[in-house]
Amino acid sequence: EVQLVESGGGLVQPGGSLRLSCAASGSTFSSYAMTWVRQAPGKGLEWVSSINSGGGSTNYADSVKGRFTISRDNAKKTLYLQMNSLKPEDTAVYYCAKPLWSGFYYPYGFWGQGTQVTVSS
């Protein structure tokens, strides 16, 4: 059974930084692309960033490009999201997601429980 556990969220002032982690169980982490998705209060899900299975290809939403960096450590079966220059509009619950099939970015078949990020002075 696949389990994804996010951590690293918290309260940070505008301009600050946080590093989110997503620890995965199972033996197939390195074969799958991974994605970060967020949900702001009262809004729908927003795709943030994706990374391919090997870590050599990344993509970002325009809203976070240049501020966020996605990475992964396949040996540790962990996905990361380094968030710098945080803005109040980055406030959201952040989820990591794994697709149903290797070789695809979506549909997402597995989700973590989410970690809250609050950017406020």
Side-chain angles (χ1 to χ4, degrees):
E1 181 181 347
V2 175
Q3 284 192 320
L4 302 172
V5 180
E6 300 97 335
S7 61
L11 173 64
V12 63
Q13 292 187 341
S17 298
L18 283 175
R19 188 194 197 201
L20 306 184
S21 298
C22 170
S25 65
S27 59
T28 60
F29 178 77
S30 62
S31 299
Y32 286 76
M34 293 293 294
T35 294
W36 287 100
V37 177
R38 68 186 180 185
Q39 186 168 29
K43 297 189 176 181
L45 292 171
E46 178 190 13
W47 169 77
V48 174
S49 181
S50 294
I51 188 169
N52 71 341
S53 58
S57 178
T58 58
N59 292 282
Y60 299 92
D62 288 343
S63 58
V64 307
K65 198 172 294 182
R67 300 187 298 121
F68 290 11
T69 302
I70 190 172
S71 63
R72 65 191 296 162
D73 185 332
N74 285 339
K76 295 182 178 180
K77 294 188 287 186
T78 303
L79 175 73
Y80 302 101
L81 186 68
Q82 178 66 45
M83 306 186 296
N84 298 329
S85 302
L86 282 161
K87 304 175 181 180
E89 51 264 43
D90 294 318
T91 295
V93 178
Y94 285 71
Y95 300 91
C96 60
K98 180 180 178 181
L100 281 172
W101 309 294
S102 64
F104 292 82
Y105 283 88
Y106 48 83
Y108 307 128
F110 308 94
W111 297 78
Q113 84 288 352
T115 186
Q116 176 71 48
V117 172
T118 302
V119 184
S120 175
S121 54

